[in-house]
Amino acid sequence: SGESVYDVAVIGAGVIGAAIARQLSSYKLQVVPLEKEADACFGVSKANSGIIHGGFHHGPDALKARLEILGNLMYDRLQKELGFPFRRCGILVAALNEEEMKAVGKLYENGVRNKIIGIELAGRERMLALEPHLNPDVVGGLYAPSGGVIEPYRFVFALIENAQDNGVELLTGFRVAEVRQAGGTFAIASADGRLVRARYAVNAAGLYADRVSALFGAEDFQIVPRKGEE
C-alpha cells in the first residue's frame, strides 16, 4: 500500500505508555504512542496522588509489592536523567489507638518480609520527633524512609518529551475505534478517521485497557473503575 508501518504502537500515553515509549525509543524502532486525549497524562495519570510507595502494603507473594519495590528504586536514576520534581520525604503511618497499632504491625511485617531498607516500627516519641504536627493522641506508627513524592504531570511529560527527543512521534486525539489485522500488521483506526499500521501493539490504555484488548481480540477482562477514597 506504500503506507509507512511502525514497529510498535503504544495505546495510551499516561505514565505506563510514556515510560514504555521512552524505553523503546532507545532502540532502532519506529514507535508511535496513540493518546485519545489532547495531550499525554490527561487520563487517570493526571489524577494520581504522586506518592512513591514504600513497599509495605502487601507481602512478597503479591506481584504488586514486588513491582512497587523495583519501581521505587528506579526513581533516583530517572530523576537524574529527566529532572522532574522528586523527593524521598519518607512515609509515616500514624496509629491513634492500640487497635490501629495492630494494623500498623501487620504493615511493618510486610515491609520486613519485603526487605524494605530502613523500615521502622516507631513509638509515640519517635513519631512526634519525625513529625511534630501529628495529633498528640498518636500512640505509635510506621516509618518508611524510602517513600517519596513526585509531581505526576511533570514526570509523564518528562518521559514523553524524552521519547520525542529520541524520534518518537506522539499522536493525540487518537481514540482507537477499530483494529484490523492484515499481512502481519495491525491497522489501527481512530474515531476521527486516521489510520496507523504497526507490527506490534502495546495496550497501556489505563481504565480503557479492557475495551482496547477486546478491539485487538486479545484477553477478555473487565475493568471496574473506582475512586481512591476507600
Side-chain angles (χ1 to χ4, degrees):
S1 66
E3 283 179 293
S4 63
V5 177
Y6 291 93
D7 293 301
V8 186
V10 181
I11 319 298
V15 67
I16 303 295
I20 289 169
R22 175 184 184 255
Q23 190 69 30
L24 290 175
S25 76
S26 64
Y27 299 92
K28 287 183 178 175
L29 296 169
Q30 292 296 111
V31 180
V32 61
L34 308 175
E35 171 54 54
K36 76 178 176 67
E37 302 294 343
D39 204 346
C41 197
F42 278 23
V44 288
S45 293
K46 75 175 183 298
N48 189 276
S49 63
I51 297 169
I52 304 304
H53 286 290
F56 52 79
H57 288 99
H58 307 276
D61 298 339
L63 176 64
K64 184 174 183 178
R66 298 200 296 274
L67 295 178
E68 189 176 296
I69 294 155
L70 280 172
N72 179 303
L73 294 169
M74 291 176 180
Y75 274 95
D76 301 284
R77 180 174 173 180
L78 281 166
Q79 199 273 337
K80 219 174 188 113
E81 291 176 354
L82 299 171
F84 56 89
F86 165 60
R87 191 158 57 94
R88 280 197 191 280
C89 53
I91 293 173
L92 285 178
V93 180
L96 297 178
N97 55 53
E98 288 307 320
E99 198 59 39
E100 288 183 359
M101 201 61 201
K102 283 181 196 166
V104 164
K106 288 192 172 69
L107 295 177
Y108 174 71
E109 282 170 28
N110 286 341
V112 170
R113 286 167 64 217
N114 290 338
K115 299 183 172 65
I116 300 305
I117 296 164
I119 197 161
E120 190 181 322
L121 197 58
R124 181 175 189 274
E125 284 184 18
R126 174 67 170 149
M127 290 292 283
L128 288 169
L130 288 163
E131 178 46 80
H133 294 103
L134 278 175
N135 185 325
D137 293 339
V138 66
V139 297
L142 176 83
Y143 175 47
S146 62
V149 286
I150 59 162
E151 197 175 308
Y153 272 118
R154 296 274 289 279
F155 179 45
V156 179
F157 289 156
L159 287 167
I160 205 75
E161 284 168 9
N162 186 225
Q164 288 173 309
D165 288 345
N166 292 340
V168 167
E169 182 186 2
L170 170 66
L171 297 184
T172 56
F174 193 110
R175 182 171 65 79
V176 176
E178 190 187 352
V179 179
R180 294 189 306 281
Q181 291 190 52
T185 65
F186 294 108
I188 306 165
S190 68
D192 61 7
R194 285 174 285 169
L195 188 70
V196 164
R197 292 186 186 277
R199 292 183 181 87
Y200 294 92
V202 176
N203 182 359
L207 287 182
Y208 301 91
D210 49 357
R211 295 188 203 175
V212 167
S213 190
L215 285 170
F216 278 86
E219 293 97 331
D220 182 26
F221 59 94
Q222 186 187 5
I223 290 174
V224 181
R226 66 177 179 86
K227 291 183 179 180
E229 294 173 346
E230 291 177 8

